[in-house]
Amino acid sequence: MRIFPVLVLALAVALVGAVFAVTRDDDAPTDDTGRVTLVGDSLNVGVEPFLRDELSGWRVDARDRVGRTTREGIDELRRLGAALAPVVVVSLGTNDLDGSEEEFRGYVEEATEIVGPRRCLLWATIIRDGVERTGFDRVLREASAANESLRLVDWAEMVAQDDSLLAADHVHGTPEGYARRAAETARAVRACPRTSG
């Protein structure tokens, strides 16, 4: 009988298959795992629980704060530095002063430099007082067109199509609004290239 050689061959095949499976899992991550950093204002705070549900299996590091201005958000991005995840989700601009679009442009440039070309920077377009902050969003759209690592989550367009997503204060989302914004953000997160900082 030649049972021993057959067993050795079967074990060798099984071992090769196991090594291949481990290598494939490590080298080609699926949409079910990853890391994301949130740096934003109260709108990101509202999105957080819904985004955690949408990105089940991901590590979500939320560094959001109610009332945060863009300048304060840039300071937080700089403080985090190399600790930023491969995907960074930003919600900033709502608390900035009217007429400060050029200052905002400089902040967006700073943010893209801090996050760097090997990470994906997602930035939500801005609504305040029930209307789009078109000057700020123009800055974001121009920056996104010029920088492939900066992608927009178009909250302003979502609200334009369905204003019931906006809460009675005309700034924040309703629960449904935050859920929809989180779903759109999660789609954008998963579409980002899987690179590291």
Side-chain angles (χ1 to χ4, degrees), residues 111-154:
T112 56
E113 288 171 11
I114 294 165
V115 170
R118 290 176 51 80
R119 293 187 182 92
C120 191
L121 174 60
L122 303 179
W123 202 309
T125 57
I126 307 161
I127 294 279
R128 192 171 79 182
D129 300 325
V131 296
E132 180 177 9
R133 300 196 84 182
T134 53
F136 287 80
D137 284 352
R138 185 179 306 113
V139 168
L140 288 173
R141 294 184 202 287
E142 289 171 0
S144 179
N147 187 333
E148 63 182 18
S149 66
L150 172 60
R151 301 171 181 211
L152 303 184
V153 175
D154 208 339

Side-chain angles (χ1 to χ4, degrees), residues 161-185:
Q161 291 182 7
D162 183 358
D163 63 4
S164 73
L165 301 179
L166 208 56
D169 66 1
H170 303 295
V171 175
H172 299 93
T174 61
E176 173 64 18
Y178 283 138
R180 293 263 299 279
R181 178 165 160 159
E184 191 61 31
T185 302

Side-chain angles (χ1 to χ4, degrees), residues 11 23 38 58 64 66 76 89 108 112 124-125 140 168 180-181:
L11 286 171
T23 303
L38 276 61
W58 285 62
D64 303 315
V66 173
E76 180 67 3
V89 175
V108 173
T112 56
T125 57
L140 288 173
R180 293 263 299 279
R181 178 165 160 159

Side-chain angles (χ1 to χ4, degrees), residues 77-97:
L77 287 172
R78 193 174 301 284
R79 188 185 70 75
L80 290 168
L84 290 167
V87 182
V88 179
V89 175
V90 166
S91 173
L92 296 167
T94 303
N95 297 305
D96 293 12
L97 296 174

